[in-house]
Amino acid sequence: DAPVVLTGLTDSWPIRSWSREDLLAKFDGISLRARPCASLHEYGFPGPARRNVSLKEYIASDSLASTSEVIFENDFQPVHHALAGCYKVPFVLSQVRNTPVFSCGRAHTGIGFHRHNEAWFAQVRGRKVWFMLPPKATRPMALPPWWYVQERERPQDLQVSVLQPGEVLFIPRNW
């Protein structure tokens, strides 16, 4: 089993037609946890938050903190209410059981290599580059994401996928 990018699964999701302003309005008043990029991969769970922030504040920030942290929200209750009715779990992925997570990252943010249970990720806005290694591969130390596209820093068997809006990445267990 290897990761696979699926298309067409989110075409009918209302969230796909939202503008940036619509998204920010839906999240108005919700406090989200900004987590440090440098250590988030070290935990078997989302790990400690550096600070609480609104989505609008995180997106608008030009501070150094905004490139060293990501929104990774696993307390899905307030997020679920904000997103109610704007997406539906695709039937083909309905047997994948995992805790929902809402994440948001800015340009040049990234999390070190880590393993996943079987999971799927829907890209709603922007692009995200995924650097993935097979289950038995040695995980390299955490480096800025762009270092892995350079031949000298590329781990053996590295797979790279750029997820575009509307695409879904399915990741098998232990990738």
Side-chain angles (χ1 to χ4, degrees), residues 93-109:
L93 299 169
S94 63
Q95 297 303 308
V96 177
R97 301 283 183 221
N98 219 334
T99 304
V101 171
F102 171 81
S103 65
C104 178
R106 295 172 46 98
H108 308 295
T109 59

Side-chain angles (χ1 to χ4, degrees), residues 6-11 16 122-126 164-168:
L6 306 166
T7 59
L9 299 179
T10 65
D11 292 349
R16 293 285 318 284
Q123 189 71 22
V124 176
R125 295 184 58 85
Q164 303 290 338
E167 294 180 335
V168 173

Side-chain angles (χ1 to χ4, degrees), residues 2-5 113 127-134 140 144-151 153-164 167-171 175:
V4 61
V5 174
F113 284 100
R127 294 184 313 260
K128 180 172 180 170
V129 179
W130 287 84
F131 299 97
M132 300 169 285
L133 289 167
W146 55 89
W147 287 27
Y148 296 117
V149 297
Q150 300 172 357
E151 198 62 41
E153 300 293 343
R154 186 176 291 241
Q156 185 176 357
D157 299 325
L158 178 70
Q159 293 187 26
V160 179
S161 181
V162 180
L163 213 55
Q164 303 290 338
E167 294 180 335
V168 173
L169 177 64
F170 171 77
I171 300 180
W175 274 78

